[in-house]
Amino acid sequence: MTTQESLRPQSLMLTFLGDQVLGQDVWVSSGSIIDVFARAGIGEQATRSTLTRMVNRGLLHRRREGRRMYFGLTERSVAVLRDGERRIWGTGAVNRQWDGTWTLLGFSLPESWQRQRHDLRAKLTWSGFGPLFSGLWIAPGTVEVSSLVAELGLSAHVKVFRAHADAGLDIGAMIEETWELSELAERYEAFIRSWQPWETRLPDADDALALRLRLQAEWLQVIRHDPRLPVAHLPDGWPAERAEKTFRAVYDRLAPLAQDASERLLDVVPVRESA
């Protein structure tokens, strides 16, 4: 089951870690991760390669106990997972609390800084910004970006402002010019088409955990493209609320079976202070 984009193994791995490891004070064995991922359609080699890459990127610790290898979270992965958790369960997909404030971010980078420009744009997109003009990006609300810019080493090249639109500005038209609304709406509609049948179906017991992981990973894949634009300025029938209701309904329906499956399938050990 997929939405518009194929699901990358690392996206599923981050979802798995947020769902089963974050806040649990445990490490989980590679063998049980491979088992769960196989049920989600991810092969053993892809799973092992993903674990290795995440260790190399400082997103996972690993340690051997006997013949088994166990993986645990790092400070960096905890920060990443908390951010995803906040996006899924905290802010929600529909913005009804907008106070009229916009965050404007201007940047000017040397032409040779292609990688830095790409990284900045990716981070800005994740934080809800869209390109108003070349080098000037805008996001609804008060968005804190100083740590994001500092992490990329670009503080000297970026200026941030808070602003309100002039009374004569057509905010709805500005939004349509800045963000690809039709593409975003189709992401939500595709999610609904893909997952709505599971509001009345149940998977095999051992597949429930993998299915719930795919559900969360695909939902995060959709909402990470959504800047949470003020709903009052979006087209009529905007599908975000319907999609979120589908997500929550399926998640709740899968929860008991997924919990039982995790207890049967996952091999975990407690975190040790020396780890």
Side-chain angles (χ1 to χ4, degrees), residues 52-255:
T52 299
R53 284 197 302 271
M54 292 179 70
V55 169
N56 293 338
R57 292 178 56 202
L59 291 168
L60 286 175
H61 291 304
R62 64 182 165 194
R63 74 171 190 243
R64 182 176 295 278
E65 293 203 2
R67 300 179 63 181
R68 297 181 179 179
M69 188 69 74
Y70 290 82
F71 292 84
L73 302 180
T74 65
E75 288 186 9
R76 183 180 175 192
S77 58
V78 167
V80 170
L81 296 174
R82 290 296 184 198
D83 184 47
E85 181 180 61
R86 202 159 41 244
R87 287 295 295 270
I88 292 177
W89 301 110
T91 57
V94 180
N95 184 356
R96 293 191 177 87
Q97 287 78 44
W98 183 60
D99 63 0
T101 301
W102 296 93
T103 298
L104 294 172
L105 183 146
F107 63 90
S108 179
L109 305 180
E111 284 298 321
S112 59
W113 288 19
Q114 296 299 317
R115 180 183 59 80
Q116 291 91 333
R117 185 176 286 104
H118 170 79
D119 291 346
L120 177 59
R121 287 171 173 167
K123 292 279 190 180
L124 290 177
T125 299
W126 169 250
S127 298
F129 285 82
L132 186 61
F133 298 110
S134 177
L136 181 63
W137 288 53
I138 187 171
T142 300
V143 183
E144 177 52 55
V145 292
S146 58
S147 59
L148 175 158
V149 173
E151 179 185 340
L152 295 173
L154 298 177
S155 298
H157 302 270
V158 171
K159 301 292 186 292
V160 181
F161 304 88
R162 316 294 180 200
H164 285 76
D166 184 84
L169 180 68
D170 186 335
I171 294 176
M174 184 271 288
I175 285 174
E176 290 191 9
E177 292 169 0
T178 306
W179 286 275
E180 295 288 345
L181 292 188
S182 60
E183 180 180 314
L184 180 56
E186 175 53 29
R187 290 179 187 275
Y188 280 121
E189 295 287 3
F191 183 88
I192 293 169
R193 290 193 299 269
S194 181
W195 287 100
Q196 200 168 51
W198 288 99
E199 291 187 36
T200 55
R201 293 166 55 191
L202 287 174
D204 293 338
D206 284 350
D207 292 333
L209 175 58
L211 190 65
R212 192 179 69 172
L213 292 175
R214 291 196 68 91
L215 169 74
Q216 293 178 86
E218 290 185 13
W219 179 240
L220 188 57
Q221 189 169 257
V222 174
I223 63 175
R224 71 175 302 185
H225 292 90
D226 188 343
R228 298 191 75 250
L229 297 162
V231 69
H233 296 285
L234 290 171
D236 292 339
W238 187 248
E241 184 171 12
R242 288 188 291 115
E244 187 166 47
K245 285 181 178 178
T246 292
F247 166 72
R248 291 180 179 271
V250 176
Y251 183 93
D252 290 344
R253 186 165 176 78
L254 293 175

